[in-house]
Amino acid sequence: MTFVRGLKCRECGRVYPTSSIYVCEFCFGSLEVDYDYAAIKSAISREKIEKGPLSVWRYRPLLPIDGEPTVGLNSGFTPLVRAHNLADALGVKELYIKDDTVCHPTLSFKDRVVAVALSKAREFGFDTVACASTGNLANSVSAHAAKAGFKRFIFIPADLEVAKILGSLVYEPNLVAVKGNYDEVNRLCAEIASKYHWAFVNVNIRPYYAEGSKTFGFEIAEQLGWKTPMHLVSPAASGSLLVKIWKAFKEFEKLGLIGPVKTKMYCAQPAGCSPITTMIQEKSEVLKPVKPKTIAKSLAIGNPADGYYARDVIVESGGAAEVATDEEIIEAIKLLAATEGIFTETAGGVTLASAKRLIQKGVIPRNESIVISITGQGLKTQEAIAHHLGRPHVIEANLASFEERVDFPEKKEVVKK
Ligand SMILES: *Cc1c(COP(=O)(O)O)cnc(C)c1O
Ligand SMILES: [Zn+2]
């Protein structure tokens, strides 16, 4: 049973049958999945969703596959954490962390998109999958494809973090490290995709892949008790996640699963790679590509594919855009860990630091609900904070050494006795 009518051009609206294409032949606009919402409406309800699997597939009618899902059966449905300690630290009343640092199996929100992309690739009959990645997508395609039995080709910039390279290699993909930045890797992949019959998750099957990001938004709305927050801060690399969270909220609204969406959407980018934020802050009509220079490598896309769509969402929702410097990113990673016990990678540092700026500037009010999107795991980007943390107390294996070298509240009395 499918609710997919086909693909539709996001610019001129021309429709195409379901296949592995991604650009409009007439206007070169990007293609998007076109659903039959009337049919979905009679097939979906809060109760049915609540009885569904604890994964992205609980929203199956709103995902672009025809049959049963075959990949990523445990991906998604991560915690939405009420963050009282962080709320106190930031001086706000109602704060939540959507925590994809624990997404299955590779600890970032990319496991959602890849679950959908590879389920679709299987339906299309591909035996080889591939991607261009800033790191997390590489990990996720490598892992999901290993389990699903696809041949796998993974293209990354050569200068990625150690854990993101190891975290791909362990699944034995063909890992290709390109001497260049992500935008150059992506260009190369578009060329390869046009020549070989592979499912490039973020090139020729991107329309299906991108739909997986909606589940991040669906979950937030469901976990808040079937409503959306007043303010949502999302990181942006290509801009796709932010656009799809908004689409998720609007689909739930359209289907009557939630009331009117009043959420304002905010884009967070690293100061060293902020083409979308810059366009919004300067009220420019043109997105100027940049050469990334930031510790937030997972967000280092200088020419974002969904940049204009992200801008439109932010403007339509009444939100704003912000940046975070490398120092602020590190501070924010430490703040989230120390207050909420959540260890995020650099992208999460960007998002929290940007949220903090928006709150301090009064752009996000202190007395309304806020969701901060934490999209990846800190163990993968240890280089970024390795020299910004304390060190362990090294002692001999005896009590005297412990009492001598470690400070603790009772110590004064122990020493007196
Ligand atoms: C890929 C990625 C993003 C950004 O995703 P886009 O949809 O390209 O904007 C955010 N956070 C993390 C951890 C990522 O890996
Ligand atoms: Zn078109």
Side-chain angles (χ1 to χ4, degrees):
M1 175 68 180
T2 185
F3 300 100
V4 174
R5 287 201 291 220
L7 295 171
K8 193 173 185 177
C9 176
R10 284 158 112 187
E11 295 301 323
C12 74
R14 199 174 287 264
V15 295
Y16 297 84
T18 303
S19 73
S20 55
I21 54 170
Y22 64 108
V23 274
C24 176
E25 286 168 18
F26 293 87
C27 78
F28 301 108
S30 57
L31 303 181
E32 184 170 41
V33 177
D34 185 21
Y35 294 93
D36 181 351
Y37 288 107
I40 293 173
K41 191 159 186 171
S42 52
I44 208 169
S45 68
R46 289 182 183 179
E47 293 68 31
K48 280 190 190 145
I49 292 172
E50 284 164 354
K51 284 199 206 103
L54 299 175
S55 73
V56 295
W57 298 110
R58 67 204 274 107
Y59 311 105
R60 157 76 185 77
L62 288 160
L63 294 173
I65 60 169
D66 296 336
E68 289 303 307
T70 53
V71 180
L73 302 186
N74 297 292
S75 297
F77 215 68
T78 58
L80 181 76
V81 177
R82 179 78 196 253
H84 290 290
N85 298 337
L86 181 59
D88 289 346
L90 297 179
V92 298
K93 196 169 133 228
E94 190 183 349
L95 182 67
Y96 304 86
I97 299 294
K98 179 59 175 167
D99 185 9
D100 264 16
T101 67
V102 292
C103 204
H104 184 86
T106 67
L107 311 179
S108 86
F109 96 91
K110 294 297 198 303
D111 290 324
R112 302 169 177 279
V113 276
V114 177
V116 176
L118 297 202
S119 289
K120 195 68 208 173
R122 171 131 297 155
E123 288 186 351
F124 282 138
F126 286 102
D127 65 1
T128 304
V129 297
C131 71
S133 172
T134 57
N136 283 316
L137 185 61
N139 295 170
S140 189
V141 173
S142 300
H144 276 307
K147 165 111 170 134
F150 286 105
K151 282 176 254 171
R152 39 207 183 272
F153 284 83
I154 309 293
F155 298 82
I156 53 171
D159 73 339
L160 284 191
E161 297 93 342
V162 174
K164 289 202 175 146
I165 294 172
L166 287 184
S168 295
L169 281 177
V170 73
Y171 308 105
E172 301 187 341
N174 297 283
L175 185 65
V176 184
V178 179
K179 292 178 189 162
N181 61 32
Y182 173 83
D183 298 282
E184 291 164 312
V185 176
N186 197 39
R187 249 197 318 275
L188 170 63
C189 285
E191 238 176 287
I192 297 171
S194 69
K195 185 155 180 197
Y196 299 95
H197 189 64
W198 297 349
F200 263 92
V201 304
N202 54 341
V203 183
N204 56 329
I205 55 171
R206 187 176 175 89
Y208 309 94
Y209 153 92
E211 289 289 290
S213 287
K214 291 191 305 190
T215 61
F216 194 90
F218 293 147
E219 287 173 21
I220 290 169
E222 182 183 348
Q223 289 167 322
L224 280 175
W226 299 103
K227 62 180 201 280
T228 62
M230 290 302 291
H231 306 275
L232 185 140
V233 190
S234 166
S238 73
S240 177
L241 173 65
L242 185 146
V243 170
K244 295 294 180 173
I245 294 172
W246 179 249
K247 184 176 180 189
F249 290 172
K250 298 303 275 185
E251 283 184 340
F252 267 13
E253 177 184 58
K254 185 172 2 197
L255 294 166
L257 294 168
I258 58 174
V261 174
K262 298 196 188 105
T263 310
K264 292 187 164 76
M265 301 286 293
Y266 303 86
C267 162
Q269 294 202 291
C273 181
S274 61
I276 301 173
T277 293
T278 303
M279 174 171 54
I280 292 166
Q281 289 185 339
E282 292 178 355
K283 295 193 167 59
S284 167
E285 281 306 306
V286 191
L287 184 143
K288 278 196 231 87
V290 300
K291 244 201 158 88
K293 194 174 179 311
T294 168
I295 58 169
K297 295 183 184 183
S298 55
L299 301 182
I301 297 185
N303 190 10
D306 287 285
Y308 289 103
Y309 298 111
R311 188 267 319 267
D312 291 348
V313 162
I314 290 156
V315 171
E316 182 191 340
S317 71
E322 195 45 87
V323 295
T325 64
D326 285 354
E327 292 72 37
E328 290 172 316
I329 294 167
I330 291 161
E331 279 315 304
I333 290 172
K334 292 168 68 174
L335 177 65
L336 184 63
T339 54
E340 295 301 327
I342 294 170
F343 185 15
T344 182
E345 71 148 77
T346 44
V350 170
T351 313
L352 174 53
S354 298
K356 192 172 165 187
R357 278 193 182 202
L358 290 163
I359 292 162
Q360 280 169 350
K361 286 181 177 172
V363 177
I364 296 181
R366 293 175 185 272
N367 59 350
E368 295 179 347
S369 57
I370 307 166
V371 169
I372 296 180
S373 309
I374 297 298
T375 46
Q377 166 62 240
L379 290 169
K380 294 193 195 186
T381 60
Q382 296 180 40
E383 293 94 328
I385 55 156
H387 300 293
H388 302 271
L389 302 174
R391 288 165 166 238
H393 305 280
V394 179
I395 66 169
E396 306 302 326
N398 62 59
L399 184 60
S401 178
F402 167 68
E403 289 178 341
E404 183 196 323
R405 298 196 198 161
V406 183
D407 278 327
F408 52 98
E410 297 89 342
K411 184 160 169 173
K412 263 190 212 131
E413 285 143 54
V414 172
V415 173
K416 248 188 264 161
K417 276 184 216 157

